[in-house]
Amino acid sequence: MKKLINSAESVVTDALRGVAAAHPDLRVDPGNRIVFRASGPRPGKVGLVSGGGSGHEPLHAGFVGYGMLDAACPGEIFTSPVPDQVIEAGAAVDGGAGVLHIVKNYTGDVLNFHMAAELCAEEGMQVASVLVDDDVAVRDSLHTAGRRGTGATVFVEKIAGALAETGAPLAEVARVAREVNARSRSFGVALSACTTPVSGKPTFELSETEVELGVGIHGEPGRSRGPMREARELVRLAVDALHEDLPVSGDVLVMVNGMGGTPLIELYVTFAEVADALADRGARAVRSLVGDYVTSLDMQGFSVTVCHLTEELTRLWDAPVQTPALRWGR
Amino acid sequence: MKKLINSAESVVTDALRGVAAAHPDLRVDPGNRIVFRASGPRPGKVGLVSGGGSGHEPLHAGFVGYGMLDAACPGEIFTSPVPDQVIEAGAAVDGGAGVLHIVKNYTGDVLNFHMAAELCAEEGMQVASVLVDDDVAVRDSLHTAGRRGTGATVFVEKIAGALAETGAPLAEVARVAREVNARSRSFGVALSACTTPVSGKPTFELSETEVELGVGIHGEPGRSRGPMREARELVRLAVDALHEDLPVSGDVLVMVNGMGGTPLIELYVTFAEVADALADRGARAVRSLVGDYVTSLDMQGFSVTVCHLTEELTRLWDAPVQTPALRWGR
């Protein structure tokens, strides 16, 4: 295992130093490991806080900024942030209109965000939580009761973030966040496992002729192992899985996400096949993202996330955003 | 070798279908393999045309759009575009103020862009060319006479593109493009080689304890092979190499570029070390990019590009840009 790090112990804090040096719009609290907008809270605006294990970059710190998150709390690699981080982040970004926690459905994250929310409520802060659980691959897994939260997190953070900028109240921002999650589905395919800095070994072994179907973002096993195939066929399997769970039709927002070790040229090949597969189902990819957004360290592979759009969701998706990893319209 | 492709033969055209499907602001001519702005040429604006072998995505197609390129001509993987592509592209984007060719210094690219420029001139088109040769690692190599063109291409395309949007004449746009190249230096480090779809084998072998210093973007050998070290030490070697060639000082624009297979968290660790190494030399990274911009398929590793800023270059860097891979300010 070769990694561009100084040590397995310092990788998260070293990366946060890099985030601080590269993005003057962000403020990093290295002690508490929190990334904020440098502009601070805006009175009357709901504050959006998310977080989770590191190793999924740009999620979440790369989505802090105008029109998206107010703060992100990174944990150690593939490890939930602690409640103190979430409490500190909320207190710092609350502009008096309350705080929304955006939580991916993993046992540790759910527990720690819940604990933080209770402690914040005791202090008189208004807190709402939305759980992201879009991955159709498996019900219950190593780290989850129910479905895993993966790619839809980007859509939830973007769309709820856009509504929050308009000054909408907490209940409304939470409502739209839940709606995005309810309308989104994801499925991932791995060509290789990932290797964490601490273990130094791949989380599972795949031969040169195999893929892992329905893989998670921590190298958790997927639904099944199958033979390696051309991109067109792998995409059909993924889109079929999404369609079985929630039939695809109409106008959709689509993300073809790289797992961290996949070249962009391959993601564009994959997107071409996804657009075709959706069209064959009568759906239209009217908005899209192609690139690395919710990664799994150095894993090779992709995930597809589809969100069934409404007029409101489309408008909020199109609204200006200004973060390291997503920016347009301003 | 596992790749998300349909076949080695169709990878470039399949990826272009994906580009067309994902980016309604772009128009793709699949027959000639050209990516244009959908808005067409603007009367009186110099047209910027670049191109080169595929496998370096988002370079160049990901930089087509407002404030940057007017057209990109992708060749096959690691293979120069043919003169016909460059001629077609130039004819389509010429708004009457002439066309600038931005050419990375590789023998095939230089030859084919030169041939295209001569044929365009015969047809009465005004054409200027700028050669990018920023890589300090080697003088002359497998594919080059003189230095290789790598990361500075992004800076040249962005800054010349910004000046072209102001309606500046061709000679001025070419002048600023050459200035950016003259003020920029790059150095790359590989933790692994890349594998082309056609060959199916890594371009060189590196053991678990070795790195390739001064690697090119086609898997060409670098200056030397050395032991794997922590990020801080690898960065010092890279920044020392830049500094030896053109002493770093003052305000600089810095790119820490991933080679395609490197997780973003590692690029942020690397950027933190680059910022520190520059500060130790008395230079300040006042503008930066961290991510995959000039890749080498699935290679693991990074390159650092430093551009010595002037007031003019900083202003043009900050100007609005609206492309798939770079966008801000509008």
Side-chain angles (χ1 to χ4, degrees):
Chain A
M1 175 203 64
K2 282 181 281 190
K3 290 185 182 291
L4 284 170
I5 60 178
N6 294 316
S7 73
E9 294 66 41
S10 68
V11 57
V12 174
T13 46
D14 285 345
L16 285 177
R17 281 195 299 124
V19 168
H23 304 294
D25 288 358
L26 302 183
R27 182 170 69 80
V28 175
D29 173 346
N32 290 305
R33 294 192 177 181
I34 310 173
V35 178
F36 303 97
R37 300 190 196 182
S39 56
R42 212 178 75 213
K45 190 187 101 57
V46 169
L48 267 65
V49 174
S50 192
S54 292
H56 308 302
E57 291 67 27
L59 194 76
H60 297 269
F63 300 124
V64 175
Y66 180 86
M68 223 162 158
L69 297 179
D70 291 272
C73 307
E76 273 300 318
I77 300 280
F78 295 171
T79 305
S80 172
V82 295
D84 276 358
Q85 283 173 279
V86 180
I87 294 168
E88 283 286 334
V93 305
D94 188 5
V99 170
L100 181 69
H101 290 172
I102 299 172
V103 188
K104 300 197 299 305
N105 191 29
Y106 299 99
T107 312
D109 290 24
V110 170
L111 199 70
N112 287 356
F113 271 91
H114 182 71
M115 207 178 295
E118 285 201 332
L119 291 164
C120 289
E122 281 175 21
E123 299 292 315
M125 190 190 291
Q126 264 191 287
V127 181
S129 290
V130 56
L131 200 66
V132 183
D133 62 348
D134 54 310
D135 184 348
V136 304
V138 291
R139 185 153 287 281
D140 305 332
S141 80
L142 223 54
H143 309 287
T144 334
R147 285 173 161 170
R148 300 177 295 215
T150 60
T153 316
V154 180
F155 297 170
V156 170
E157 293 177 359
K158 167 68 184 82
I159 289 173
L163 188 59
E165 293 297 345
T166 68
L170 181 58
E172 264 301 283
V173 178
R175 189 264 314 156
V176 88
R178 292 193 188 104
E179 186 176 350
V180 173
N181 180 59
R183 290 176 161 274
S184 298
R185 297 291 187 277
S186 294
F187 191 86
V189 176
L191 275 56
S192 78
C194 59
T195 300
T196 64
V198 167
S199 86
K201 285 193 304 249
T203 53
F204 53 82
E205 289 292 341
L206 274 180
S207 81
E208 266 303 302
T209 60
E210 286 177 318
V211 292
E212 185 78 25
L213 298 165
V215 75
I217 56 173
H218 307 91
E220 311 98 305
R223 264 189 190 178
S224 62
R225 197 156 283 192
M228 178 62 192
R229 278 159 278 202
E230 56 185 38
R232 185 172 295 124
E233 290 174 53
L234 293 175
V235 163
R236 293 280 157 168
L237 291 172
V239 172
D240 284 352
L242 300 178
H243 185 74
E244 267 163 40
D245 199 88
L246 182 69
V248 292
S249 67
D251 286 356
V252 292
L253 161 62
V254 182
M255 176 167 71
V256 166
N257 171 61
M259 293 297 202
T262 308
L264 188 56
I265 192 170
E266 298 182 28
L267 296 180
Y268 274 110
V269 170
T270 304
F271 185 79
E273 299 306 333
V274 169
D276 284 355
L278 290 171
D280 290 349
R281 300 284 192 188
R284 272 201 326 151
V286 294
R287 298 289 186 280
S288 61
L289 290 179
V290 182
D292 285 1
Y293 293 98
V294 182
T295 59
S296 184
L297 293 169
D298 55 344
M299 183 185 281
Q300 291 185 308
F302 71 99
S303 62
V304 187
T305 303
V306 169
C307 175
H308 297 248
L309 287 167
T310 63
E311 216 172 288
E312 180 193 30
L313 299 190
T314 309
R315 194 180 67 245
L316 293 169
W317 179 257
D318 288 344
V321 61
Q322 197 79 4
T323 70
L326 274 196
R327 55 175 66 207
W328 57 68
R330 212 167 85 126
Chain B
M1 176 204 62
K2 283 182 280 190
K3 288 185 182 293
L4 283 170
I5 61 176
N6 293 316
S7 73
E9 294 66 40
S10 69
V11 57
V12 174
T13 45
D14 284 345
L16 285 177
R17 282 195 297 124
V19 168
H23 304 295
D25 287 359
L26 302 182
R27 182 170 69 78
V28 176
D29 173 346
N32 290 306
R33 294 192 177 181
I34 310 173
V35 178
F36 303 97
R37 299 191 198 183
S39 56
R42 211 178 75 212
K45 189 188 100 58
V46 169
L48 266 66
V49 174
S50 193
S54 293
H56 308 301
E57 291 66 26
L59 192 79
H60 297 270
F63 299 124
V64 175
Y66 180 85
M68 222 163 158
L69 297 179
D70 292 273
C73 308
E76 273 300 320
I77 300 279
F78 295 170
T79 305
S80 172
V82 296
D84 277 357
Q85 283 173 280
V86 180
I87 294 167
E88 283 286 335
V93 306
D94 188 5
V99 170
L100 181 69
H101 290 173
I102 298 172
V103 188
K104 299 196 299 301
N105 191 28
Y106 299 100
T107 312
D109 290 23
V110 171
L111 199 70
N112 287 355
F113 271 91
H114 182 71
M115 206 179 293
E118 285 201 332
L119 290 164
C120 289
E122 280 175 22
E123 299 292 316
M125 190 191 291
Q126 262 191 289
V127 181
S129 289
V130 57
L131 201 66
V132 183
D133 62 347
D134 54 311
D135 185 348
V136 304
V138 291
R139 184 153 289 281
D140 305 335
S141 79
L142 223 55
H143 311 287
T144 334
R147 283 173 163 171
R148 300 177 296 214
T150 60
T153 317
V154 180
F155 297 170
V156 171
E157 294 178 357
K158 167 66 184 82
I159 289 173
L163 187 60
E165 294 296 345
T166 69
L170 181 57
E172 265 300 283
V173 178
R175 190 264 314 155
V176 88
R178 291 193 190 104
E179 186 177 350
V180 173
N181 180 59
R183 290 176 161 274
S184 297
R185 295 293 187 277
S186 293
F187 192 86
V189 176
L191 275 54
S192 78
C194 59
T195 300
T196 65
V198 166
S199 86
K201 284 192 305 253
T203 54
F204 53 81
E205 290 292 342
L206 273 181
S207 81
E208 266 304 302
T209 60
E210 286 176 318
V211 293
E212 186 76 25
L213 297 165
V215 74
I217 57 173
H218 308 90
E220 311 97 308
R223 265 187 190 180
S224 62
R225 197 156 286 190
M228 178 62 191
R229 275 158 280 201
E230 57 185 38
R232 184 172 295 125
E233 292 175 51
L234 292 175
V235 162
R236 293 280 156 167
L237 290 172
V239 171
D240 284 352
L242 301 177
H243 185 74
E244 267 163 40
D245 198 88
L246 183 68
V248 294
S249 67
D251 286 356
V252 293
L253 160 63
V254 182
M255 176 167 71
V256 166
N257 171 60
M259 293 297 202
T262 307
L264 188 57
I265 191 169
E266 297 182 29
L267 297 180
Y268 274 109
V269 170
T270 304
F271 185 79
E273 300 305 333
V274 169
D276 283 356
L278 290 170
D280 290 350
R281 300 284 192 187
R284 272 201 324 151
V286 294
R287 298 290 186 281
S288 61
L289 290 179
V290 182
D292 285 2
Y293 293 99
V294 182
T295 59
S296 185
L297 293 170
D298 55 344
M299 184 185 281
Q300 291 185 311
F302 72 99
S303 61
V304 187
T305 304
V306 168
C307 175
H308 296 247
L309 287 168
T310 63
E311 215 172 289
E312 181 193 28
L313 300 190
T314 308
R315 195 180 64 247
L316 292 168
W317 179 258
D318 288 342
V321 61
Q322 196 78 6
T323 71
L326 273 196
R327 53 176 66 208
W328 58 70
R330 216 167 82 128

